Amino acid sequence: MPVSLDQFVSLSSALTGVNAAQLKPALDPIGIANQYLAMINSQASKVSSTTFSALVSTFEAQVGTLGSPNKAAAFVLDDPTLGPVARSIIKMWLMGTWYDPANPGTAIQVVSSQAYKESLVWKVMQSHPMGYSMWSFGYWAQPPPAFEQFIQTSSGNSANGAN
Amino acid sequence: MSLLTSCPERDSTTKATPGGPTPTPQPAVSTASVSPRPLLPVLSSDIPFDITFSGDGSLEGLQHDFDVLSWNTFIALNWPAKPNGQPDPSIQIGTKDAPTVWQSWKEAYEIFLPGGAPPSPWGTLRTAPENWPPACKALFKDGMTLLNQVGKTPNVLNDSTQPFKTGPLIDQNGRYARFEIVVNEPMFDSIVANKLYSKKGQATASSVVFPCSSASPSPGNVGAIMVKASWKILSDEEKKSGRFHTTEAIVYTPPSSSPPVAEKCELLTVGLVGLHMVHKTAGAPQWVWSTFEHVDNCPTEGETPSKPRYNFFSKASPAPSPNEPPPRPWDPNKTEPSERRVQIVRKIPIEPAQKALNDLFQAALGKVNPKSVWLNYELVSTQWPTNPAATCDVETSAPVDRIGTPAPQFLGNSTLESYIQGKVPNVSSSCMECHANATTYTSARPSNIPIFSDFTYLLERAQ
């Protein structure tokens, strides 16, 4: 069975600690989660569909066994086969770039121009991508908004303005 | 107002705020209807306050609702106007081609006056600029349209024209397109009340927040609306064609020494080819960005050009490279030869949903008059915030996602963003991404730091 978008977002939320509603908003004109899922499913990812499916099914099984997505995420990260793929997924959400799971220091490609500007690393930094700002002229003279306004955590802080 | 037929889409009692509480869904058309044919929209001169929720709150459903808002706004703003600029309820839109409501609104040159002088009150008949040469003033009749921009932004010859300093738009008759920007009374009142019409006034402003349209309190208030229009100078054949909304305008070309261009005024018949309508609403404080075009402007990239003739595209070969500005030097007084005329194509196709809505509204317009000029205008799309600011004060209430994650991500009009169409973030045309950078006059403040101007570049024109 191919991995569904909802399954991928649930796994991604547990791996990154970011709320699923921020990773895949209800109103989503950008569709970055779709792009990331397509990246993993492409040949360029160097991840077989068998391995990817195993990662998701193991995660889902461990949520039931261990009783928490966080513990299930830790479980798959410790797995010698599934862990490298899980870490590449974390890096993709943070950096907008797919890294070869077999060679973790090797970036295969920036997923898209949208992935570059939607990378979570900018929000974690309470900043904006180089060359692209969603803020207005003169913002640099003011302190950035609070971290909680950038990132909704999977444990449930109530971010305002993050999307 | 006469109604063509009832249509729930015009019911303004149910409003939705994207990202906010979801109202009870209303069917777009009556389920009791036996005929599979959709009901025709109501044509009304009432400007809608916000979207009317008609779907399931999905991205596609809300896009439809914003597109309906665009069409209803287009109908209301292009309604035949009485001499005082108010819509004339005795005439249906399209019965005959007539001056429209928005054409009586305040033009930018009437607001930002030399020396930062206060503009004349709303309702004052438009007069010729004081600094005009006598020959131009002699042609001008009070109240008439003045087209003094050869680009969407002013000062074509030694500054930018279309966005990002690209170039003028030369039609297939070799004439330069002309542009104007007007604002409605609520926006004008806000500019005047806050003294934003002058550099001096802007220097003391702590923020710029234009009013939002809102249905409550009853009977509702229309908020700030801006209109940007592009016009082409019509040939005799085009004047007779009945395919354009036309107006008699003074077409003014400002003088320039480099390149050498003579100051000139001409009284000409121009035809509307593009129309941006930008409406700030309570549900979309980052404004609703609607854009319409004349159906003959250009073909879509990759599609076979099917029309016998286009306004800004030639079927002859060899044709210039598509979407390239004309080579310099530019002289708007000239009729340019064919090799210097632009070759425009639409980079992002009009989606089937917008095409279907265009068909519906055009059918309603055609029922009023099968030869209505408005049958020749189509909605390209509507850009709106999927993550809207919580209040009308966007700067305060949307500190992180200032532009509200717009949908669609990219939107351009082939006559107003001709050369920056595409899908590259921060490079291709996106109304909200671009206008989020707009500020007050850049040297107005003692600290030399301008402030956010609530998505309008107009304030930079203050003197």
Side-chain angles (χ1 to χ4, degrees):
Chain A
M1 284 283 288
V3 173
S4 73
L5 186 62
D6 285 345
Q7 287 176 303
F8 173 62
V9 170
S10 295
L11 170 68
S12 297
S13 178
L15 289 171
T16 60
V18 177
N19 196 304
Q22 182 169 0
L23 300 180
K24 175 71 180 75
L27 296 177
D28 186 13
I30 300 173
I32 205 69
N34 306 59
Q35 291 185 27
Y36 288 166
L37 179 58
M39 177 72 231
I40 301 171
N41 283 328
S42 73
Q43 284 193 340
S45 74
K46 301 184 181 178
V47 175
S48 71
S49 58
T50 308
T51 303
F52 186 35
S53 293
L55 169 62
V56 172
S57 60
T58 303
F59 166 75
E60 290 175 340
Q62 291 303 319
V63 171
T65 304
L66 300 173
S68 120
N70 283 350
K71 290 176 182 172
F75 182 90
V76 295
L77 283 165
D78 281 344
D79 184 283
T81 304
L82 306 179
V85 179
R87 277 185 281 280
S88 285
I89 290 173
I90 294 172
K91 283 190 278 190
M92 180 161 61
W93 279 104
L94 282 169
M95 312 293 283
T97 300
W98 180 253
Y99 283 79
D100 184 352
N103 299 286
T106 303
I108 290 182
Q109 70 178 74
V110 178
V111 175
S112 68
S113 57
Q114 293 294 343
Y116 168 71
K117 77 177 181 64
E118 295 299 321
S119 308
L120 290 174
V121 68
W122 309 114
K123 293 183 170 71
V124 172
M125 291 163 61
Q126 297 165 251
S127 185
H128 65 83
M130 289 181 286
Y132 179 93
S133 172
M134 60 294 199
W135 295 331
S136 301
F137 186 88
Y139 72 85
W140 51 84
Q142 306 295 328
F147 176 82
E148 291 74 21
Q149 292 183 296
F150 285 88
I151 293 287
Q152 296 170 287
T153 63
S154 52
S155 55
N157 78 5
S158 55
N160 178 20
N163 195 346
Chain B
M1 204 60 55
S2 64
L3 307 179
L4 290 172
T5 181
S6 63
C7 177
E9 289 183 339
R10 202 66 181 87
D11 172 10
S12 61
T13 58
T14 308
K15 303 294 190 302
T17 300
T22 304
T24 305
Q26 301 290 315
V29 292
S30 168
T31 51
S33 173
V34 175
S35 168
R37 196 173 56 185
L39 296 172
L40 292 181
V42 174
L43 304 180
S44 169
S45 62
D46 296 333
I47 297 172
F49 299 124
D50 215 329
I51 63 165
T52 299
F53 187 80
S54 67
D56 55 5
S58 66
L59 190 68
E60 294 76 16
L62 286 165
Q63 182 68 53
H64 169 81
D65 297 340
F66 277 98
D67 289 338
V68 170
L69 177 78
S70 293
W71 257 110
N72 284 331
T73 307
F74 181 84
I75 297 293
L77 266 51
N78 285 300
W79 203 269
K82 294 189 285 190
N84 65 1
Q86 294 298 309
D88 186 344
S90 68
I91 309 174
Q92 271 274 24
I93 182 173
T95 308
K96 61 175 183 179
D97 194 23
T100 63
V101 168
W102 68 264
Q103 285 180 267
S104 70
W105 291 358
K106 285 280 188 187
E107 225 281 354
Y109 85 88
E110 299 176 88
I111 302 171
F112 305 102
L113 299 172
S120 52
W122 187 266
T124 308
L125 212 53
R126 188 178 292 156
T127 55
E130 283 183 18
N131 55 356
W132 258 20
C136 292
K137 284 184 176 174
L139 284 173
F140 193 87
K141 294 174 190 159
D142 286 352
M144 74 187 313
T145 297
L146 162 63
L147 300 175
N148 61 357
Q149 290 183 215
V150 195
K152 180 177 156 185
T153 50
N155 210 357
V156 60
L157 300 171
N158 48 24
D159 199 333
S160 56
T161 51
Q162 290 211 8
F164 308 120
K165 299 190 177 184
T166 46
L169 185 66
I170 301 172
D171 68 26
Q172 288 300 310
N173 297 331
R175 302 302 304 266
Y176 288 66
R178 308 292 174 135
F179 303 84
E180 67 174 325
I181 303 177
V182 300
V183 304
N184 71 342
E185 187 173 2
M187 185 161 178
F188 174 76
D189 287 347
S190 179
I191 289 171
V192 173
N194 294 290
K195 295 186 167 51
L196 299 175
Y197 52 79
S198 71
K199 289 182 194 175
K200 190 179 172 187
Q202 289 181 15
T204 60
S206 58
S207 65
V208 177
V209 181
F210 291 109
C212 285
S213 284
S214 177
S216 62
S218 183
N221 290 300
V222 172
I225 302 177
M226 297 179 276
V227 170
K228 297 181 186 182
S230 50
W231 301 87
K232 79 185 288 289
I233 296 165
L234 298 184
S235 66
D236 289 341
E237 185 185 347
E238 288 166 335
K239 283 184 223 172
K240 291 176 195 162
S241 72
R243 291 184 66 77
F244 295 88
H245 167 59
T246 65
T247 197
E248 296 297 308
I250 297 288
V251 176
Y252 173 68
T253 301
S256 167
S257 55
S258 179
V261 174
E263 184 176 49
K264 189 175 182 182
C265 286
E266 296 177 274
L267 179 58
L268 296 168
T269 302
V270 291
L272 186 68
V273 288
L275 195 71
H276 281 334
M277 300 177 305
V278 194
H279 186 177
K280 188 173 182 181
T281 73
Q286 285 97 339
W287 306 65
V288 181
W289 303 76
S290 314
T291 193
F292 284 76
E293 288 197 33
H294 194 275
V295 295
D296 296 340
N297 279 350
C298 66
T300 299
E301 186 178 54
E303 295 179 4
T304 305
S306 57
K307 291 179 183 284
R309 183 176 164 78
Y310 291 92
N311 297 327
F312 302 102
F313 177 89
S314 170
K315 294 168 76 170
S317 63
S321 299
N323 298 348
E324 291 284 340
R328 292 174 188 266
W330 303 322
D331 184 348
N333 292 325
K334 282 186 177 173
T335 297
E336 298 283 11
S338 58
E339 65 271 17
R340 288 177 55 82
R341 298 169 189 173
V342 296
Q343 185 78 346
I344 303 299
V345 294
R346 187 183 314 289
K347 294 283 285 187
I348 301 176
I350 298 176
E351 296 288 335
Q354 280 83 29
K355 285 183 178 175
L357 196 66
N358 289 338
D359 289 345
L360 203 59
F361 273 88
Q362 285 164 351
L365 287 161
K367 205 164 179 182
V368 175
N369 176 4
K371 293 184 176 177
S372 168
V373 295
W374 301 113
L375 292 173
N376 301 308
Y377 294 88
E378 60 190 359
L379 172 69
V380 178
S381 192
T382 313
Q383 195 179 55
W384 53 282
T386 62
N387 184 26
T391 73
C392 208
D393 183 349
V394 174
E395 188 170 28
T396 302
S397 64
V400 173
D401 189 7
R402 179 67 52 82
I403 62 174
T405 312
Q409 287 184 270
F410 303 98
L411 178 60
N413 184 302
S414 72
T415 66
L416 287 150
E417 291 84 26
S418 315
Y419 311 118
I420 56 167
Q421 303 177 67
K423 292 190 173 182
V424 180
N426 232 20
V427 173
S428 303
S429 179
S430 168
C431 319
M432 291 156 75
E433 277 191 358
C434 175
H435 282 259
N437 295 312
T439 66
T440 52
Y441 186 80
T442 50
S443 297
R445 305 177 73 77
S447 60
N448 203 29
I449 299 175
I451 58 174
F452 175 61
S453 59
D454 201 2
F455 294 91
T456 177
Y457 286 101
L458 275 176
L459 302 188
E460 293 181 354
R461 301 187 185 198
Q463 300 180 45

